[in-house]
Amino acid sequence: MRAAVLAVALASVAALSGCEREKRDFEPPTGSASGAAATRNVSVRAGPGEPIETARLATTQDRRDEYNAFLVNQGKRLFRWYNCNGCHAQGGGNMGPPLMDDKWLYGHRPAEIYASIVEGRPKGMPAFGGRIPEDQLWQLVAYVRSLSGQLRKDVAPSRADGLAGAPPENVRDIERPVQQPAPKP
Amino acid sequence: MTASATTPNVPRNAVPPTADDVLALERTWRDPPGWIGWLSAINHKAIGKRFIVAAFGFFVAGGILAALMRLQLARPDSKLIGPDLYNQLFTMHGTTMMFLFAVPVMQAVSVYLVPLMLGTRSVAFPRMNAFAFWIFLFGGLVLYGAFILDIGPDAGWFSYVPLAGPDYSPGKRVDFWAQLITFTELSGLLEAVVLVTTVFKLRAPGMTLNRIPLFVWAMLVTAFMVMFAMPSVMLASTVLITDRLVGTHFYNPAEGGDVLLWQHLFWFFGHPEVYFIFIPGLGFISSIVATFSRRPIFGYSAMVLSLIATAFLAFGLWVHHMFATNLPELGKSFFTAASMMIAIPSAVQIFCWIATLWTGKLNFKTPLLFVLAFFFILVLGGMTGLMLASVPLDLQVHDTYFVVAHLHYVLIGGAVFPLFGAIYYWYPKFTGRLMSERLGRWNFWLFFIGFNVAFFPMHLLGLQGMPRRVYTYGSEMGWSGLNALSSLGALVIAISVLLFVINVFASLRRGERAAADPWGGGTLEWSVASPPPACNFEAIPVVHGRDPMWEPQPEPTHVAGLATTSRELLMTTVLDAVPDSRESFPEPTIWPFVGALATTVLFVGSIFTPWAVVWGSVPVAIALTAWFWPRRHENRAHLALEQQP
Amino acid sequence: MKRALHLVVAVAFALAGALAWAQRTVLQPGAHDALAPAGPQAARIGDLWDLFMVICGIVFAAVLITLAVALRRAPRADAGTPADVSMADRHEPGPYRSVLVGVGASIVLLFVLLVASVSTDRALARLPLQGALNLTVTGHQWWWEIRYDGDPVSETFTTANELHVPVGRPVVVTLRSDDVIHSLWVPALAGKKDLIPGRTATLQFQAAQPGTYRGQCAEFCGFQHAWMAFEVIADTPEQFAAWAARQRAEAAEPTDEKLRRGREVFLGSTCVMCHAIGGTDASARKAPDLTHVGSRTTLAAGTLRNDAESMTRWIRNPQQIKPGVNMPSSTLADADLQALVAYLGSLK
């Protein structure tokens, strides 16, 4: 009897995680600003970015994008479209630092990556705040984390229909993030 | 056998089975009681009935999905169902009807009927037969479970890449579809092997290949087609899974793969598949027309050769699904020729049936009504098929509602109507009761009228430019009226199917009791009680002609000497059904069920991780080992039956 | 027997003819109709269609009438009527001859259809292509990128979701896809051709008279397959040349404060990440080119009429109109949005 209950419980957990993973939600999240003007005039500090307006961003700490395969895949598409590859290659880095390794200059947590994209970073990372809508930013954040294997294997995207520069994100080993000292400005 | 005094060397009938023999046979061949017994059942009639019920369950589910689609399309600019759900609906509808209903139900009916028509007691591999049923059932349940959890596939039943590939269908939805293919193709292939072996080796003595019923020919031809075509789609879907799960590049043009490879592999299977559905329907028609015209079908040899020709030609048509791609024009024209050529054997069959009806005496009961509808619906579908076979015409109507109309006319007209007729025809044999004639006529007319009202307007919609797989359309397109009409027809179809279901269940209790041969049929299944005893035949018959129930049968008429306390069957030679050997058949066991469960876990696990293939093999290996492990008491019984030559 | 056969054939002819006539006249062709050809390709296909309708109609009617006669003349029976096995293993000359005649006629007719089909196919492939206009259409989820290949190359220009072609001049369209399989289909002008990633296909057609012909994607391509349409506008050669010249020009400069503000909004917010406007800094190619968006008759791949109200609704919340489309909603203030819409409307 107990075994049956356990089996049902396990199945339900698996099932519900399936529900979350597969949802395709087309309604824009309420109150999605484009991370806009508020972040434009703030000076950038080196080191793990203290996320600006932590109060606002804190509610987005538990962004569900990381558990939704569709949104992570959208992030992958946006990474391609917005030409992140131009500096970051397919995660291997070039002019910009690699995103698929374990070294993080400005923080590996979702809110920190969000801040990096919105505010820009020294030595060439543009500030995309105001240019990329908020829901797309979170999709990009989730995708960037998948580059170093941080996402669950069934949510991380698989191979793209293009030239493959690296193994697909869903087969990468987890690179446990290691905070690097911030570079001298 | 002793020669008689007057005609030396003519074998005479031996002593018929005694009452004790009959009881012993019943005990030997029935399935064990209780729910463990139910799961262990391997009697082909038990498996056949479950199989038919499960397939019809999926038919109703697929029909509900279609009803939802028609509800959405009844009005323009409808916001009832959004694109995501609609994509899942038409994918699930197509997948259900093609993989979980149309092919399995034909195999299911043949699992029940073929041994009875051949004069034997079992299919050739009863345990594998049971396993194939369970795998089919579990595959379908897994797919519907996924659908309920929002992981239902949404890239079409044909799942074209790159849309169904890893980049454009993230998540596990398409993986569940691809794995369903694995389930149903495994089931289909196993059933095909079972059928071919049964037909070749287990026929009653004297039933030469020239004397087997046309329905059995149809199933034999279908089984061969299955064995050649299904591996193609298993390969295609497995490769799709590896592209999605581990990042291979078979369908990735940027890395040397090819998008069209999917289409070739899929349609090389996909076109024969519609013949897996159509040819058994032809078999049903032959059985029903013969019985209800009170004569054998005209032109037996022509009919058999037509079935075989259709099967061969079916493998040469697949590119007609790809006429809009950039394949070379001359190559496409070859497929136009082949697609037109396949009309010829079908025409032969239709003309032979009409000749049978012309020269017969007609009994207009419900089974015959459903078969007569075939002539209207399938022939119309065949005409639109010729139009689609022509490359220039196809380039206008490909991927429009014209094709939707065509495929439903040929599949519903060519297979579902005969199937309904077959259910009305053989229901007394399955259950011992007749279905209601009155409800049957209501069922028939509502289905016929509803079907034409639902699907004929789709021809016009396609010509007016309405593409397939659209979740809605604008009111300015001028498609609204015909769509509304079509949805109305769908409602009528739903009512008629409801009547059918009511008829089936009500007749179980209140139907008129059926004798062994309520229709006056000519083939062997009508010689046994309705429903048949567990052993089918108390004594295996010996056959001297094509219609043993109609033709006078000289002696010997039955086989004697087979064991009654052990599952022993007579195997005969392939061509002339000369008695060849006596084989001991296995007893019921739960391991096919357990093996199917283990295989299901392996298949579902491998959607999520390749390691499931490794670790999932362990329970499967255990189940298979237990399945084949010889049992001491069986061995002893079999050894006791062996005789020195 | 012979009289019955004549009757069958006569009735079948009549029925087929009636059906073909009804279909061409009584059923009103819509904007998007395969049976309202406006170009030589579609017209040839229409002729072939007529032939098929007649022959298939005759065959269908013949089969049904024969069946009906068989059902009427056969005596009735029931389950107890003894079955007639007298012909088992015996030749039945009557039915044998009839079946043979039927099969023979079928083979002849099938051959006629085959020859007609192949010869139409060859004719379609032989549209004279001198002086053809060359286009490249790239399919995206869920819009059409159309590039007019200029000669010289500097005259190349790109537009989206609307094709203009000069009447009477052959058009050769090169078909590519950026993501999944799409299919280009303008029923009034030609059959369809798939746009397959990794492959290049071509489609030829010609418009015989001026007009607007609608086309729609005809291969399931995802969420908004249903609303991936486009228009083919056949102009006189002069009109076409004027249109092409306008398209080659850079975007119109804003002439007043509101339009200037609209351009600022465009260049300062999320739009530039995906859309291009020639003559400005916006040069992204991931979404339709907006350089001359004001000149188009439709928006959102043929889904909406191109007017200010539709444009406003579209920019504010595209997901409401086309759920699943790649364009995000905007959070612009009302005044900014109005200015933006006015600016885009001015880009003729």
Side-chain angles (χ1 to χ4, degrees), chain B residues 362-433:
Chain B
L362 303 181
N363 181 9
F364 280 95
K365 292 287 188 308
T366 306
L368 186 65
L369 291 182
F370 275 101
V371 162
L372 292 177
F374 159 91
F375 289 98
F376 183 92
I377 301 177
L378 183 284
V379 175
L380 202 158
M383 297 296 108
T384 57
L386 292 177
M387 295 170 183
L388 289 166
S390 152
V391 173
L393 290 184
D394 186 68
L395 289 180
Q396 280 284 29
V397 291
H398 168 67
D399 235 295
T400 66
Y401 265 80
F402 189 90
V403 180
V404 177
H406 161 74
L407 77 92
H408 285 92
Y409 266 82
V410 287
L411 287 177
I412 297 188
V416 177
F417 269 81
L419 173 70
F420 271 60
I423 298 294
Y424 276 89
Y425 182 51
W426 278 299
Y427 184 92
K429 186 55 55 184
F430 296 162
T431 62
R433 293 189 186 258

Side-chain angles (χ1 to χ4, degrees), chain A residues 10 18 20 23 31 50-51 61 67 79-80 120 137 148 152 164:
Chain A
L10 275 175
E20 191 55 54
K23 217 165 33 186
E50 205 58 54
Q61 286 291 350
Y67 303 101
F79 194 90
R80 228 164 41 219
L137 282 166
S148 54
R152 231 172 54 206

Side-chain angles (χ1 to χ4, degrees), chain B residues 114 127 131 173 196 225 235 254 275 326 332 356 397 480 512 543 559 561 604 606:
Chain B
V114 166
R127 292 180 177 181
F131 176 84
R173 290 176 167 185
V196 170
M225 290 176 66
L235 174 66
Y275 286 91
N326 72 331
K332 290 182 197 168
T356 309
V397 291
S480 317
E512 185 191 322
V543 154
V559 168
V604 176
S606 64

Side-chain angles (χ1 to χ4, degrees), chain B residues 450-490:
Chain B
F451 172 81
N452 282 292
V453 170
F455 289 100
F456 193 83
M458 292 186 184
H459 293 110
L460 305 167
L461 281 171
L463 287 166
Q464 287 177 6
M466 183 170 178
R468 289 174 83 168
R469 298 157 191 153
V470 291
Y471 76 101
T472 187
Y473 53 93
S475 52
E476 69 281 3
M477 297 310 302
W479 300 332
S480 317
L482 288 175
N483 267 296
L485 184 62
S486 175
S487 295
L488 183 66

